[in-house]
Amino acid sequence: MTTVANRPLSGVRADFPILEREVNGHPLAYLDSAATAQKPRQVLDAMDAYYQASNANVHRGVYELGREATELFEGARERVAEFAGWDPKTTIFTANATAAINLVAYSWGEAYLSEGDEVVVTEMEHHSNLVPWQEACRRARAKLRYLHVSDEGLLSLDELDEVLAGGRVKMVAVAHISNVIGTINPVAEIAARAKAAGAVTLVDGSQAVPQLPFSVSDVDADFYAWTGHKALGPTGVGVLHGRRALLESMPPFLSGGHMISSVSAESSTWDELPAKYEAGTSPIAEAVGLGVAVDYLSSVGMENVRAHEAELTAYALERLPEVPGIHIPGPSADQRGGVVSFGIDGIHPHDIAEICDRFGVCVRAGHHCAQPLMRCIGMPATARASFQVYNTREEVDRLVEALHEARRVFGLTE
């Protein structure tokens, strides 16, 4: 069994207070980490300690509390950057991944996107990495193009090459891991091919950062965005890693306090990175919590996290087909992250999720903010189970039992 600090990985569950809950008389089986992950006690304690002992604004006060808050905030940035393999000065705190992607779509788009240019996205994108590019193309009168998803849930690099060969592509925006079908995309190869064609790349790493051992530097995309709350951290904080030359050349996304160098009656100049893109009061407690969250993941070991989630995903893909009438889109276990979406003939996904909840099993239901992908796979909605380091094989077994019960409730058993 995979171990952490000489103890079984299953012992990690004790660090998550919420998993002590019962729901409808059953132990909580939380299988919705692709939506938001639970938080270890260490993260909760760190945020509480900040508010109780060091609460002050950052980069402003010269008094002790102000210095402490700034050290905690910038220390968190350094740890987040180290965790991701990137420069702290070009690691920008945002409100979430959506805000990080909007920052690029607006600021980079204003500086570099023109009429007749093309932006390439994929059919598997979360709306957060699709709608901002629709709007950027609308503003610039550029064209939005899609890479197709195969029946196996994969992208074609040959199709990417064909699109890039036209010479009009300025941006390729792609998810590292699909939040619906779990596909792990070859983002380093995509970034390399885009770069060779003179295009910039943005990777949405919201699902990948909590699961995969990787480095943003190794991916070598121009922008890499992710969110804290899926990576065992709090809501309200996201991260954008960007290439320095581009960040320095782009206009700011938000303007106002903190991000300025000087202000006159008629004009202003901008502060250096990362402050240029961090207008207003920062998410201080949230950044502190995220810094502890990535420390926690590092202490577990991302290789261990990946191995654990891969094992659970493979086990789920083995057990779920025991449920008659089930449909599971997406690639094989070795090509997907820790997420399995599914539908059952004769039962709406919302009903599946409601019946699962009766047994304390939390699964997502709906279109998962990926409506183009849902149309692509021919399923307007699915139920979805997703895994993190605190989940177990027994919880997968409980999910399967709940699905059998759902079929009984709807009279689908013989």
Side-chain angles (χ1 to χ4, degrees):
M1 178 181 291
T2 303
T3 60
V4 178
N6 299 315
R7 64 185 174 92
L9 191 59
S10 58
V12 167
R13 286 178 62 87
D15 292 332
F16 294 82
I18 199 170
L19 299 182
E20 299 171 6
R21 277 199 61 177
E22 287 191 352
V23 174
N24 295 321
H26 299 273
L28 175 64
Y30 185 79
L31 302 179
D32 195 22
S33 293
T36 194
Q38 297 302 338
K39 323 305 176 191
R41 184 174 285 104
Q42 292 87 334
V43 169
L44 304 176
D45 289 347
M47 296 177 68
D48 190 48
Y50 162 75
Y51 277 126
Q52 289 200 39
S54 302
N55 181 41
N57 216 326
V58 297
H59 302 131
R60 288 166 172 80
V62 297
Y63 50 86
E64 182 65 20
L65 290 185
R67 291 195 299 271
E68 289 177 1
T70 299
E71 289 171 2
L72 287 168
F73 180 71
E74 292 300 336
R77 189 196 309 275
E78 290 175 3
R79 299 203 302 283
V80 166
E82 181 180 6
F83 176 78
W86 201 249
D87 179 7
K89 292 296 185 182
T90 51
T91 293
I92 298 161
F93 284 130
T94 64
N96 42 50
T98 299
I101 295 168
N102 270 275
L103 187 163
V104 178
Y106 185 90
S107 296
W108 175 88
E110 181 175 321
Y112 290 101
L113 198 61
S114 303
E115 185 172 0
D117 291 338
E118 295 179 354
V119 172
V120 176
V121 296
T122 81
E123 290 179 327
M124 69 173 66
E125 297 310 310
H126 188 283
H127 295 164
S128 295
N129 200 30
L130 172 57
V131 178
W133 298 113
Q134 291 176 338
E135 288 299 290
C137 287
R138 180 186 60 79
R139 289 191 296 268
R141 298 187 178 182
K143 181 179 181 181
L144 188 66
R145 300 188 62 172
Y146 288 82
L147 296 182
H148 297 97
V149 176
S150 73
D151 292 341
E152 294 76 30
L154 304 175
L155 300 177
S156 167
L157 292 176
D158 289 339
E159 182 184 14
L160 173 63
D161 288 340
E162 291 175 6
V163 173
L164 292 171
R168 292 185 175 274
V169 176
K170 289 292 186 69
M171 167 65 76
V172 178
V174 59
H176 199 154
I177 297 179
S178 166
N179 72 308
V180 178
I181 55 177
T183 305
I184 302 175
N185 288 313
V187 290
E189 181 63 24
I190 290 171
R193 295 187 185 207
K195 184 176 181 180
V200 170
T201 310
L202 180 142
V203 175
D204 176 2
S206 298
Q207 298 296 331
V209 170
Q211 333 184 17
L212 296 181
F214 84 102
S215 165
V216 174
S217 297
D218 291 342
V219 173
D220 200 29
D222 297 284
F223 300 101
Y224 195 100
W226 55 286
T227 190
H229 70 97
K230 299 182 194 295
L232 311 188
T235 57
V237 62
V239 182
L240 175 66
H241 306 288
R243 204 172 296 283
R244 176 178 289 274
L246 286 172
L247 291 173
E248 289 179 338
S249 68
M250 292 156 39
F253 178 43
L254 299 175
S255 55
H258 179 63
M259 50 75 67
I260 53 88
S261 175
S262 65
V263 177
S264 69
E266 293 80 21
S267 63
S268 302
T269 59
W270 318 131
D271 203 350
E272 296 180 353
L273 298 172
K276 176 182 176 181
Y277 293 103
E278 293 183 353
T281 299
S282 299
I284 305 167
E286 291 82 0
V288 169
L290 182 57
V292 175
V294 298
D295 286 348
Y296 184 91
L297 286 169
S298 295
S299 72
V300 173
M302 291 309 298
E303 294 82 3
N304 294 339
V305 174
R306 172 57 184 157
H308 181 71
E309 293 191 27
E311 178 189 5
L312 287 180
T313 302
Y315 184 62
L317 291 173
E318 174 188 331
R319 290 289 326 270
L320 285 170
E322 297 173 13
V323 180
I326 199 166
H327 302 277
I328 306 173
S332 58
D334 63 330
Q335 294 176 298
R336 74 161 73 204
V339 58
V340 180
S341 292
F342 57 91
I344 299 175
D345 292 338
I347 313 178
H348 193 280
H350 288 167
D351 294 317
I352 293 173
E354 192 277 327
I355 293 173
C356 285
D357 185 55
R358 298 179 190 178
F359 297 90
V361 178
C362 303
V363 296
R364 197 73 161 181
H367 55 65
H368 313 296
C369 296
Q371 289 177 316
L373 176 58
M374 304 308 291
R375 286 190 286 269
C376 178
I377 64 178
M379 302 173 74
T382 67
R384 183 187 69 187
S386 52
F387 310 111
Q388 241 302 330
V389 67
Y390 39 71
N391 292 122
T392 66
R393 289 167 69 99
E394 290 75 19
E395 290 175 326
V396 175
D397 295 336
R398 289 176 56 194
L399 169 63
V400 173
E401 292 169 6
L403 297 181
H404 282 299
E405 177 63 20
R407 294 189 77 253
R408 286 190 286 271
V409 168
F410 278 83
L412 298 175
T413 56
E414 296 180 357

